[in-house]
Amino acid sequence: MDDQNQPQAAPDFRYCRESRVFKTSRVFPNDVNNHKTLFGGKLMSTIDEVASISAMRHCRTNVVTASADSVDFLLPIRPTDSVCFESFVSWTGRTSIEVFVKIISENLYTGERAVAATSFLTFVAVHEDGTPAPVPAVVAETDEEKLISASADQRSELRKIRRTSSKLLASQLSTTKYWE
């Protein structure tokens, strides 16, 4: 059997750039809400899509979305705009992967570009049987990557607190059918 078909040992680390994903789309009339701006749910769906690709590029195994930590809508995105999604892995734990997504709108008539939204999502790497899989560390190289990565430990701690709170709240909610 040749070396190309042999399983490769997982690297100890990967660079942010190895997980980078770019996707640019037009905004069409059926993509907007009653305010004539890009529907938030459509934006969120594409955020999850590109972020999951970044996460899988980083760990080269299956991933599941554990949380959409934040989606901050900063500026409206209109039908005269294109929307560019840029994502990369910004932090890793033992089995979890934080992905940063930057959303840039570009007015297609003027060329003016602006950061319209930002988002952080967390994924968990999983083996085929669904059990958590270890992931390589991530190394930031550019100034922007370093800026995002610098506050990653703080975001990780906030995620743990929020998850504990969410579990407590869920344990106190009713699952009774409203008509019963």
Side-chain angles (χ1 to χ4, degrees):
M1 187 178 279
D2 67 34
D3 289 339
Q4 287 182 332
N5 293 329
Q6 295 296 320
Q8 300 295 313
D12 292 336
F13 70 91
R14 292 192 195 276
Y15 294 102
C16 292
R17 66 180 143 82
E18 294 179 83
S19 66
R20 200 170 293 271
V21 171
F22 296 93
K23 178 177 182 164
T24 303
S25 303
R26 292 251 341 243
V27 178
F28 290 105
N30 64 329
D31 298 328
V32 299
N33 58 29
N34 57 317
H35 302 288
K36 304 262 189 275
T37 61
L38 182 64
F39 180 59
K42 179 139 178 91
L43 185 79
M44 291 168 63
S45 176
T46 306
I47 287 170
D48 191 39
E49 176 188 340
V50 298
S52 70
I53 296 169
S54 284
M56 285 189 75
R57 279 184 176 171
H58 182 79
C59 65
R60 295 299 178 190
T61 190
N62 290 322
V63 298
V64 294
T65 307
S67 68
D69 303 338
S70 66
V71 179
D72 294 310
F73 300 95
L74 305 172
L75 296 171
I77 301 171
R78 304 192 185 284
T80 54
D81 297 332
S82 69
V83 58
C84 179
F85 298 82
E86 180 182 344
S87 64
F88 62 87
V89 171
S90 52
W91 175 89
T92 59
R94 191 178 64 76
T95 61
S96 50
I97 303 165
E98 177 190 78
V99 178
F100 172 68
V101 185
K102 175 175 59 174
I103 299 92
I104 298 171
S105 63
E106 178 183 346
N107 183 303
L108 292 170
Y109 293 107
T110 67
E112 183 180 352
R113 293 170 56 90
V115 175
T118 60
S119 183
F120 287 94
L121 296 89
T122 303
F123 295 84
V124 174
V126 293
H127 295 292
E128 289 296 322
D129 66 2
T131 59
V135 299
V138 65
V139 177
E141 297 176 286
T142 69
D143 289 343
E144 187 170 80
E145 291 167 355
K146 290 174 184 176
L147 174 71
I148 300 302
S149 295
S151 53
D153 288 335
Q154 180 183 11
R155 285 190 302 276
S156 175
E157 288 304 313
L158 291 173
R159 272 193 295 275
K160 289 175 187 172
I161 293 166
R162 191 179 68 243
R163 185 161 177 82
T164 299
S165 254
S166 291
K167 284 183 175 184
L168 176 61
L169 176 62
S171 74
Q172 298 171 3
L173 297 176
S174 169
T175 57
T176 305
K177 297 173 189 155
Y178 68 88
W179 58 86
E180 293 181 335

